């Protein structure tokens, strides 16, 4: 299976640079994974496609303002640091630019010394491990100094940090938003509950894999970076009950999907747990956890495009993407949505 098989041509003007005014007014392409049939709606119509007794699974991770701009103390060179993953107490893996200037012992200062980062390990692909030094609470300092880590294809400044958070974001730790959830408003979620649809939550802290393209020719040779996940006992009970009673489990986003599939592959059921996952889902994978998926439109040749192709079939997905392009859908993080039913 070739990475090139998952390529498509996207006009640059369709890459959404800013979120639309009302979250739930984005377009919604509804794809029937069995027939390939396509409908064009708006996201607030999602309620019409959810049935009583469905279970909707959301990722409640919260994005940290993880992009920092600092000064290298010995040379005053400007350095950009993106916090990716906390290894242990105040030690973080970071994507660093320009990484070649950062050696073990290098100290970077942010906000006139409000936060300092000391390099204690160098890794490949621009990754450096830093010990952070500061007084007070780290996340309060990041709120003052950090910027939201928007993907590299977004060039516009984000006026409101909250637009890169879901309305239900709770557990701090992501380097990127679980973007399928950005379309939900509190009012829409209330309507979902009123229809007797159960909402439950998992946590997956989105990490480096989101920023990395697939750069091997053979899909099966790609190695995913690991990301931390958690599932509560309450969520596990809801999902096990849904499986037992043949109720639909609808995942909101590829991050929720990867969490659910990881857990059911590991334990053969849902259970209260936490851990690290590097699951890579591509065509040929047999889904054991989810029945349907709400997602955004993904980058060409990306692991996320491969995941949705595994669920709905590559031909169906690429056909739907072509339809979306013809109908001027907005793509990627701040773009429009797809429901694969």
């Amino acid at each position: 299976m070739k990475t090139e098989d998952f390529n498509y041509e996207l006009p640059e003007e369709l890459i959404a640079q800013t979120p639309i005014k009302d979250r739930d007014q984005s377009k919604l392409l509804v794809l029937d994974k069995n027939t390939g049939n396509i409908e064009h709606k708006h996201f607030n119509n999602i309620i019409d496609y959810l049935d009583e007794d469905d279970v909707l699974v959301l990722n409640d991770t919260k994005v940290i303002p993880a992009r920092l701009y600092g000064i290298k103390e010995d040379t005053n060179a400007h350095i950009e640091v993106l916090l990716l993953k906390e290894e242990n107490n105040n030690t973080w893996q970071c994507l660093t630019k320009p990484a070649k200037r950062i050696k073990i012992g290098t100290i970077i200062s942010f906000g006139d010394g409000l936060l300092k980062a000391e390099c204690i390990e160098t890794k490949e692909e621009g990754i450096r491990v830093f010990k952070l030094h500061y007084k007070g609470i780290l996340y309060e300092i990041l709120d003052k100094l950090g910027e939201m880590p928007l993907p590299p294809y977004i060039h516009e400044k984000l006026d409101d940090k909250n637009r890169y958070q879901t309305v239900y974001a709770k557990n701090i730790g992501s380097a990127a938003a679980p973007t399928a959830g950005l379309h939900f408003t509190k009012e829409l979620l209330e309507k979902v509950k009123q229809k007797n649809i159960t909402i439950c939550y998992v946590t997956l802290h989105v990490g480096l894999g989101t920023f990395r393209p697939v750069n091997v020719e053979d899909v099966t040779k790609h190695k995913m970076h690991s990301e931390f996940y958690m599932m509560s006992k309450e969520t596990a009970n809801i999902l096990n009950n849904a499986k037992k009673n043949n109720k639909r489990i609808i995942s909101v986003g590829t991050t929720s999907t990867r969490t659910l599939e990881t857990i059911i592959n590991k334990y053969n059921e849902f259970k209260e747990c936490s851990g690290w996952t590097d699951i890579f889902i591509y065509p040929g994978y047999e889904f054991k956890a989810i029945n349907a998926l709400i997602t955004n439109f993904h980058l060409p040749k990306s692991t996320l495009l491969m995941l949705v192709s595994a669920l709905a079939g590559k031909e169906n997905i690429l056909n739907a993407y072509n339809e979306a392009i013809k109908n001027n859908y907005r793509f990627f993080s701040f773009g429009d949505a797809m429901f694969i039913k």
Side-chain angles (χ1 to χ4, degrees):
M1 196 181 311
K2 304 293 185 202
T3 300
E4 188 59 38
D5 295 341
F6 298 90
N7 200 5
Y8 67 92
E9 293 295 322
L10 180 70
E12 196 172 331
E13 63 270 18
L14 294 184
I15 301 173
Q17 293 297 314
T18 54
I20 63 168
K21 182 172 174 286
D22 298 314
R23 288 175 185 260
D24 63 354
Q25 290 302 306
S26 54
K27 291 178 182 175
L28 176 69
L29 186 148
V30 181
L31 172 65
D32 186 316
K33 63 180 184 286
N34 298 313
T35 66
N37 186 52
I38 290 169
E39 298 172 80
H40 297 288
K41 301 289 180 179
H42 284 92
F43 193 79
N44 58 4
N45 300 130
I46 192 71
I47 195 82
D48 302 327
Y49 293 89
L50 304 179
D51 301 327
E52 191 175 310
D53 294 334
D54 281 347
V55 177
L56 198 63
V57 187
L58 309 176
N59 180 7
D60 65 4
T61 188
K62 191 169 190 178
V63 186
I64 54 178
R67 181 167 277 129
L68 295 160
Y69 297 94
I71 301 289
K72 193 165 170 266
E73 285 204 337
D74 54 350
T75 63
N76 283 341
H78 291 265
I79 306 292
E80 179 185 333
V81 170
L82 177 62
L83 303 179
L84 289 173
K85 184 161 75 177
E86 188 171 20
E87 290 194 337
N88 50 49
N89 195 26
N90 290 329
T91 302
W92 286 76
Q93 279 192 28
C94 302
L95 189 59
T96 311
K97 290 188 204 171
K100 63 180 184 293
R101 294 192 178 190
I102 308 301
K103 310 285 190 278
I104 290 173
T106 299
I107 294 173
I108 304 168
S109 177
F110 307 94
D112 295 326
L114 193 60
L115 174 67
K116 292 192 177 188
E118 177 188 358
C119 180
I120 60 171
E121 187 184 345
T122 62
K123 292 178 177 278
E124 294 179 350
E125 298 182 308
I127 304 292
R128 298 292 181 265
V129 180
F130 290 100
K131 179 77 175 173
L132 302 186
H133 304 282
Y134 57 90
K135 288 180 180 173
I137 298 168
L138 177 61
Y139 293 114
E140 289 182 359
I141 292 167
L142 292 177
D143 267 338
K144 283 183 190 169
L145 302 180
E147 291 184 3
M148 280 301 187
L150 297 179
Y153 48 76
I154 292 178
H155 310 297
E156 298 277 333
K157 192 166 168 56
L158 182 63
D159 293 331
D160 178 4
K161 276 185 186 178
N162 286 327
R163 290 308 305 272
Y164 197 57
Q165 300 279 21
T166 62
V167 296
Y168 47 81
K170 178 181 168 191
N171 291 313
I172 294 171
S174 263
T179 54
L182 295 177
H183 305 282
F184 282 98
T185 62
K186 287 181 177 174
E187 294 75 20
L188 183 54
L189 288 170
E190 197 50 49
K191 283 182 187 172
V192 169
K193 287 177 191 168
Q194 285 168 8
K195 198 172 174 179
N196 207 29
I197 294 153
T198 303
I199 296 174
C200 62
Y201 299 91
V202 293
T203 303
L204 182 128
H205 293 322
V206 190
L208 181 64
T210 296
F211 297 90
R212 284 284 186 246
V214 177
N215 50 21
V216 290
E217 190 180 332
D218 180 351
V219 166
T220 61
K221 300 285 193 292
H222 178 69
K223 180 76 177 80
M224 296 284 282
H225 288 78
S226 61
E227 296 166 313
F228 182 75
Y229 69 85
M230 296 185 291
M231 177 179 282
S232 68
K233 188 172 185 180
E234 181 188 8
T235 291
N237 289 342
I238 289 168
L239 293 171
N240 283 327
N241 190 51
K243 275 283 175 212
K244 188 172 126 188
N245 293 296
N246 290 319
K247 305 298 184 192
R248 276 200 312 178
I249 295 174
I250 300 168
S251 177
V252 177
T254 56
T255 59
S256 302
T257 302
R258 292 176 66 245
T259 304
L260 297 179
E261 295 294 330
T262 293
I263 293 168
I264 209 161
N265 279 324
K266 190 170 183 182
Y267 301 108
N268 223 26
E269 64 173 353
F270 299 107
K271 66 179 287 183
E272 180 182 12
C273 59
S274 64
W276 295 86
T277 181
D278 61 358
I279 190 172
F280 177 23
I281 296 173
Y282 53 86
Y285 178 85
E286 188 180 324
F287 286 84
K288 303 167 193 72
I290 71 161
N291 305 103
L293 171 64
I294 296 169
T295 188
N296 275 21
F297 291 90
H298 305 296
L299 277 77
K301 300 196 282 191
S302 64
T303 61
L304 306 183
L305 186 60
M306 292 168 192
L307 185 153
V308 296
S309 296
L311 181 62
K314 180 167 68 78
E315 301 309 320
N316 283 342
I317 288 293
L318 292 178
N319 181 53
Y321 273 49
N322 284 330
E323 279 294 305
I325 290 165
K326 278 185 209 163
N327 286 275
N328 289 315
Y329 276 64
R330 302 162 82 246
F331 276 62
F332 308 160
S333 296
F334 287 138
D336 295 315
M338 174 189 275
F339 178 45
I340 301 173
K341 66 173 186 170

